[in-house]
Amino acid sequence: MSTGSGADSAPAPDHDNDATGATHAVPAPQAPAATPAAEAATEPRKGTETVKGIESAKRTETAQDTKSAKRTKGTFSSLRIRNYRLFATGQVVSNTGTWMQRIAQDWLVLSLTGSSTAVGITTALQFLPMLLFGLYGGVIADRLPKRKLLLLTQSAMGLTGLALAVLTLTGQVQVWHVYLVAFLLGLVTVVDNPARQSFVSEMVGPDDIRNAVSLNSANFQSARLVGPAVAGVLITAVGSGWAFMLNGLSFIAPVVGLLMMRPSELHQGKVVPRGKGQLREGLQYVAGRPDLIFPIILVGFIGTFGFNFPIWLTAFVDKVYHSGAGTYGLLNTLMAAGSLAGALLAARRGTSRLRLLVGAALAFGILEIAASLAPTFWLYAALLVPIGMCGLTINVTANSSVQLATDPAMRGRVMSLFMMVFMGGTPLGAPLVGWITDTYGARIGFLSGGAISALAAVGVGLFLARAGGLRLKIDLRRGHQHVAFVPREGVGASRQRVTAAA
């Protein structure tokens, strides 16, 4: 600014899916020799749609859960790797600065214009390059060594913070300056995001990638606990300029961390040579993978309409509660506390399933609706904690699912598409949400974002269930799974396999 078990009778592919879960790259166990009759009964039907590169095999829910437990290595297992420790240390410093700048930037724009729409335009300009050029950023990330690329992008991001600091401290800043710096920062992010996301797997390898993605989110949210609070104090005491200055200087830490890494200990990814049609190749790859499409579609709706917190929080603080920058920092800190809790829970989780993604998205939308209608400040503030937890769960679950399901040679392009949809939708959603907030009030603006998020979750969930021939089963007996998707009667194994892959 980042489940549950399947149907008992649904076969699971070797990526450890449940009936509505995302893939997890785990080799399938060797099954005992079957009789000819059994082989005929379980032989896949020809012409069945299957996810490219995934072989289906029979596996019980108990076996899946046992394997998930064995794969869980602890909440902080990735930190045993030296290169990742250096990366994480640098990121927590720069992330703190980034959150300071975000708070100061939003408040500066609101102070200069008095308009929530202007705050939305600033947010939109920062993410517009991702929408326009995001896929090209992924191609660049796949073509170049990611560590060297990150040295360039992190340095450039630091310079944007220093430029805004100079303009603000000298009293020359105008709103168009903020717009320009936001757009330039967005251009750098086009390359930095896919390179940084895919570099995680080079530091830790495939066994720890889910844990590392979760810890990255925990890192970001930890900084979010400190950054807004410090920014609120700085803005009140000495103005926004010093927050921008500290953010620019904070990027020294990740640059030093990258320079101190041992290249020999990296799991070097394949560098794709320059060639024609690489962008189209990436899109075709995703188009043939339901296990990639569904997370990307859902986070697209959530990112475009549900994550416009700079607009809503500034509007609530200014127009509803008639308070100042300190209160704005407090609300961001409360949301960060929930996000941090969600990140740490995700780091302990052994699987990343689409059921968890859909459920978290639905809860996220409902909680936003509830917060928009909260009659008191403290109830509104308290609801931001679970909103942050659900939002982080959406981010981590979708991110790790997509990375684990993607071939390393394609990871930069796939992650650029993921980030383009997740963050690049903001230029479309932020001005619209800002206009709704200015025209109809902060509560209606927040409610509209929550309603769209909830409807998107329901739509994706129903589509998955229908495509896989599933029905909702509710069992209130003690010791039984109370809510589950199970195959409809008469649905063949082929449709179950499609659902398991998706």
Side-chain angles (χ1 to χ4, degrees), residues 2-94:
S2 265
T3 190
S5 52
D8 294 340
S9 59
D14 63 351
H15 283 250
D16 193 19
N17 295 20
D18 69 337
T20 56
T23 61
H24 315 290
V26 180
Q30 294 295 326
T35 63
E39 291 176 354
T42 59
E43 181 182 359
R45 300 179 183 178
K46 294 182 179 180
T48 298
E49 290 185 31
T50 56
V51 175
K52 187 177 180 180
I54 300 178
E55 297 178 7
S56 295
K58 281 281 188 180
R59 196 181 308 160
T60 64
E61 178 184 356
T62 302
Q64 291 180 19
D65 293 340
T66 301
K67 286 173 181 268
S68 297
K70 289 181 179 178
R71 285 196 306 274
T72 303
K73 299 180 180 180
T75 303
F76 303 102
S77 61
S78 296
L79 291 176
R80 74 183 190 279
I81 301 169
R82 180 181 181 273
N83 285 342
Y84 182 74
R85 285 200 305 273
L86 290 170
F87 176 83
T89 302
Q91 287 297 306
V92 75
V93 176
S94 67

Side-chain angles (χ1 to χ4, degrees), residues 267-488:
H267 301 257
Q268 295 287 354
K270 180 181 177 182
V271 177
V272 179
R274 181 184 297 270
K276 293 183 179 180
Q278 290 178 334
L279 181 59
R280 183 174 60 254
E281 181 185 10
L283 293 174
Q284 290 174 343
Y285 177 81
V286 174
R289 297 290 299 273
D291 52 330
L292 301 179
I293 291 174
F294 288 116
I296 290 174
I297 290 175
L298 185 53
V299 300
F301 277 99
I302 300 295
T304 301
F305 299 105
F307 270 76
N308 291 288
F309 295 110
I311 299 171
W312 295 323
L313 297 188
T314 53
F316 265 84
V317 170
D318 187 42
K319 305 290 177 57
V320 178
Y321 300 118
H322 308 291
S323 189
T327 301
Y328 183 49
L330 171 64
L331 295 180
N332 276 276
T333 300
L334 289 172
M335 184 173 291
S339 300
L340 177 61
L344 294 176
L345 289 173
R348 294 183 59 85
R349 192 176 297 120
T351 58
S352 296
R353 294 173 174 174
L354 278 184
R355 178 184 305 172
L356 175 63
L357 176 62
V358 172
L362 179 59
F364 178 81
I366 293 173
L367 286 167
E368 286 195 337
I369 294 172
S372 71
L373 303 174
T376 65
F377 171 80
W378 288 112
L379 178 58
Y380 174 82
L383 285 170
L384 294 180
V385 176
I387 287 174
M389 184 180 295
C390 290
L392 194 283
T393 301
I394 294 167
N395 191 358
V396 169
T397 304
N399 189 312
S400 58
S401 297
V402 169
Q403 289 213 51
L404 285 168
T406 303
D407 185 270
M410 289 284 184
R411 190 166 285 138
R413 279 165 282 182
V414 173
M415 291 310 298
S416 70
L417 177 61
F418 176 88
M419 298 307 297
M420 184 189 77
V421 171
F422 185 45
M423 299 172 62
T426 302
L428 303 177
L432 175 61
V433 170
W435 176 80
I436 294 173
T437 302
D438 276 340
T439 304
Y440 299 102
R443 294 188 183 276
I444 298 299
F446 204 0
L447 187 147
S448 65
I452 293 174
S453 299
L455 289 173
V458 171
V460 169
L462 291 176
F463 185 86
L464 284 170
R466 183 176 181 83
L470 300 176
R471 63 177 177 85
L472 184 66
K473 177 183 177 182
I474 299 177
D475 189 342
L476 300 180
R477 291 177 294 174
R478 179 178 296 180
H480 290 253
Q481 187 175 359
H482 298 319
V483 180
F485 283 102
V486 298
R488 294 193 187 100

Side-chain angles (χ1 to χ4, degrees), residues 162-179:
L162 293 176
L164 191 55
V166 171
L167 287 169
T168 306
L169 291 174
T170 58
Q172 303 299 315
V173 69
Q174 299 179 36
V175 69
W176 72 266
H177 292 142
V178 185
Y179 289 166

